[in-house]
Amino acid sequence: MRITAALLVLQSSRALSLARPRLTKRTVLRGGSTIDTTKPLPRRITAFVDRNFFVCGMVASVAVAGFSPGPGQACEKFVGKYAVATIFVLSGLGLKLAELKKAATNTKLNGLTQGANLIAFPALMLPVISLLRKTSLDGRLLDGLLVTSCLPTTVNMCVALTQASDGDVAAALTNAVIGNLLGVVVTPALVFMLMQKSVQLPPAAQVARSLGAKVALPVFVGQLLRRSRWIRSMLEKRKTLAKRAQELALLSVVWCAFSAAFGKGLGVSGSDLAALLIGLPLLHVFILRLCLKVGRTQFEEKEATAFAFCASHKTLAFGLPLIRTLFEGSPDLAYYCAPIMVLHPAQLFIGSLFAPGLKERNVTP
């Protein structure tokens, strides 16, 4: 009997121990995710970087550019040519032809995107700039900000950030091309109307050839490669690798952009530069959030992501030649160029911070 009782007690205690939940050291993060603190620190760091690769890469790119801008400046042409081409080849590889056709014929999305970028954006900035003229800010900077508001969207940046956010890449690609083609006509007209200045830009055929070489040709190459069953199969198996390659290509563009900003400087006074560095990122966050809010009332989440990035971005590649032509020979050229030079890297950095949250919304069924 004693032996039987002992066995019953032993079994009962064992059952209780099995039923008792195991205690693990976990830290609950914002959003409900957890980190297992029982793992070694290097493994936890590696896991964190893997989950937040793009944001960590952005921070590292800016830090390296600030510490030593020389290498980034030296590689600017190489990266601008081959990294951008890589982004669009990979975009072409990942896009189905049906998605491109659907995006090209989506008149509502395309019309609202271009209207927001080229009409609503300058209209919003006019009263803001009128108020700022009553402050101590340099009027030449405000003129440059007005010109910046009239520029079309970026070509590679809005596509890459849409891709990083798992948004509608076909819609972003379509509107990047449409916006820059429209910008040849619309931007000079807006600048002339708002600033009473005329400007001559490269012929539309030249801009079309440039867009064809930088955008259409790499996407076409990607589409041709996609026709191979072996490449499609490999792409399906290596989705993470393809995504990492595209993110690294974009990060190289970020590195060069910040290297140029740190290395060349902007040529304006310290107080004006401080105002730009504080004001323009805040302005971009406001406009990006506004575009996201408007987009979600009109489109599904993936399309709203593409709409927000394309509608809120302004191009440096198109903008600098325009501003330099408009104010050719002016001793204040640096003041007119400064806003877009500050806004360009700010768009990259802020967009990368928004990308993980947008991706989470886009992948949630």
Side-chain angles (χ1 to χ4, degrees), residues 42 113 119 143 153 159 172 228 322 330 334:
T113 302
I119 298 175
D143 286 338
T153 190
V159 176
S228 166
L322 165 65
S330 170

Side-chain angles (χ1 to χ4, degrees), residues 5-46:
L7 287 174
L8 287 173
V9 171
L10 181 62
Q11 288 177 351
S12 299
S13 62
R14 184 181 179 187
L16 287 172
S17 66
L18 290 173
R20 186 183 301 120
R22 294 183 178 180
L23 297 176
T24 57
K25 295 181 180 179
R26 289 181 178 271
T27 302
V28 180
L29 300 177
R30 186 178 179 181
S33 60
T34 60
I35 294 178
D36 188 351
T37 55
T38 60
K39 292 182 179 180
L41 182 60
R43 289 184 61 185
R44 277 184 279 155
I45 294 174
T46 303

Side-chain angles (χ1 to χ4, degrees), residues 81-105:
K81 184 176 181 180
Y82 294 104
V84 172
T86 299
I87 289 171
F88 285 111
V89 168
L90 290 172
S91 295
L93 269 172
L95 282 175
K96 297 177 181 177
L97 187 59
E99 293 176 349
L100 282 171
K101 290 180 179 178
K102 179 183 175 183
T105 56

Side-chain angles (χ1 to χ4, degrees), residues 153-235:
T153 190
T154 54
V155 175
N156 60 305
M157 190 190 304
C158 63
V159 176
L161 288 173
T162 301
Q163 176 79 32
S165 305
D166 202 26
D168 192 333
V169 179
L173 179 61
T174 300
N175 279 281
V177 174
I178 292 174
N180 278 262
L181 287 174
L182 285 176
V184 177
V185 177
V186 176
T187 297
L190 286 172
V191 171
F192 177 77
M193 181 175 64
L194 298 178
M195 299 187 63
Q196 300 298 311
K197 291 181 180 292
S198 60
V199 59
Q200 291 184 346
L201 289 177
Q206 181 179 336
V207 175
R209 285 195 299 270
S210 177
L211 286 172
K214 293 180 179 179
V215 181
L217 181 59
V219 171
F220 180 69
V221 170
Q223 285 286 297
L224 284 180
L225 293 173
R226 185 180 172 82
R227 295 175 66 88
S228 166
R229 185 176 300 176
W230 179 79
I231 290 179
R232 285 202 309 272
S233 175
M234 184 180 66
L235 191 64

